[in-house]
Amino acid sequence: EFKYCTNSPNHVPPTTTISIKWLPPTHLSLKLNIDGSFKGKYKKGGIGGIFRNSRGDWILGYLNSAIAYTPAYMELLALKTGLQLALDKTFVNLEIETDATYVISLLNNDTCSIYSNLVTECRSLLKKLQNSPIQHNFREGNKVAHFLATQGSKQANSTALYLMEQPPNSLLKVIHEDKIGCTKRRTISTAIVTNLVELGNPFVTCTTDVDNMVAEPMNEPNGTLYLCN
């Protein structure tokens, strides 16, 4: 999740409240939500992801445990695993969401970092999938993937990916809430709006005047971004 820092400890940036939900993909497309969990003390983590159609139906879920190096590593590993699955299953017209802003930043800008190999693999898979778009959503819109990643971290270390063709009973309520468009409220600093717009977050828009940035819930079903005046 995006964190805002300021050099002035006495400065409190203005905030705004937005409504957040899981957004279905466009017709005939699939949405892949991904997440990674990280337990630094134990150097263990988990990955999780879910494919759903435009009706919100569960198509395929996955989870696994892994040796964890950093949170970013786990998020990228979750993405790579989902992309490889999509390629293996010939899932076309894919849309991707993550609640980790740095994953999108690394894919767009990484040229030399400890994640370069993993980033390169993700970029290669994205290209094979016709450059499927990837955008940011908040944790409230990524609850299913978050649950799966958490469960993945609880599994015994294994190289075998655990695939689920049906949702576990513990996720049925959340899946239903996502289907009918239940929303959650979140208060955010307007200082981060520009960054979220650049990362494709569908729930915020911004003005071209940086001093008058605002955040608004988006009603566009496909998360189209507009500038507000």
Side-chain angles (χ1 to χ4, degrees):
E1 299 272 350
F2 191 93
K3 293 183 179 179
Y4 172 74
C5 298
T6 176
N7 292 327
S8 175
N10 298 321
H11 174 68
V12 179
T15 62
T16 188
T17 301
I18 58 176
S19 296
I20 303 164
K21 62 182 180 179
W22 178 77
L23 290 173
T26 54
H27 183 56
L28 299 180
S29 296
L30 293 180
K31 173 159 284 188
L32 167 62
N33 285 83
I34 62 106
D35 203 6
S37 68
F38 174 71
K39 296 182 178 179
K41 180 179 178 180
Y42 304 102
K43 293 185 178 180
K44 184 177 181 180
I47 61 170
I50 174 178
F51 295 89
R52 283 179 279 188
N53 62 20
S54 59
R55 297 186 301 274
D57 299 325
W58 179 291
I59 302 300
L60 184 66
Y62 65 91
L63 60 84
N64 203 359
S65 62
I67 297 174
Y69 300 103
T70 66
Y73 176 86
M74 298 309 299
E75 298 281 356
L76 287 167
L77 186 60
L79 174 61
K80 175 194 168 185
T81 303
L83 295 176
Q84 187 62 62
L85 260 179
L87 198 62
D88 294 343
K89 300 289 184 180
T90 63
F91 290 161
V92 294
N93 299 326
L94 191 65
E95 301 172 18
I96 307 161
E97 277 188 349
T98 173
D99 59 26
T101 56
Y102 44 77
V103 166
I104 304 174
S105 297
L106 284 168
L107 289 172
N108 291 338
N109 305 310
D110 179 76
T111 55
C112 183
S113 77
I114 60 173
Y115 309 111
S116 289
N117 290 341
L118 201 47
V119 168
T120 299
E121 290 181 85
C122 287
R123 286 175 178 163
S124 175
L125 289 167
L126 284 167
K127 187 174 181 179
K128 292 176 181 178
L129 291 165
Q130 302 177 353
N131 292 315
S132 300
I134 178 169
Q135 66 182 21
H136 173 265
N137 198 343
F138 295 100
R139 173 64 54 78
E140 294 86 343
N142 201 44
K143 290 181 291 186
V144 176
H146 176 70
F147 175 89
L148 294 174
T150 301
Q151 291 301 113
S153 68
K154 298 176 182 179
Q155 306 299 309
N157 289 334
S158 172
T159 56
L161 187 66
Y162 184 57
L163 300 180
M164 293 166 286
E165 296 183 350
Q166 298 291 333
N169 291 336
S170 52
L171 275 177
L172 292 178
K173 183 175 183 289
V174 177
I175 292 289
H176 176 69
E177 289 175 348
D178 283 352
K179 267 191 172 187
I180 63 177
C182 289
T183 61
K184 299 290 184 180
R185 305 285 284 176
R186 168 183 279 223
T187 299
I188 64 171
S189 166
T190 56
I192 69 172
V193 169
T194 296
N195 301 80
L196 294 178
V197 169
E198 291 174 353
L199 296 172
N201 188 292
F203 299 103
V204 294
T205 62
C206 71
T207 65
T208 51
D209 182 355
V210 176
D211 294 327
N212 294 301
M213 287 187 291
V214 297
E216 299 177 350
M218 295 296 294
N219 295 320
E220 298 298 320
N222 301 329
T224 306
L225 298 175
Y226 295 97
L227 294 177
C228 31
N229 298 317

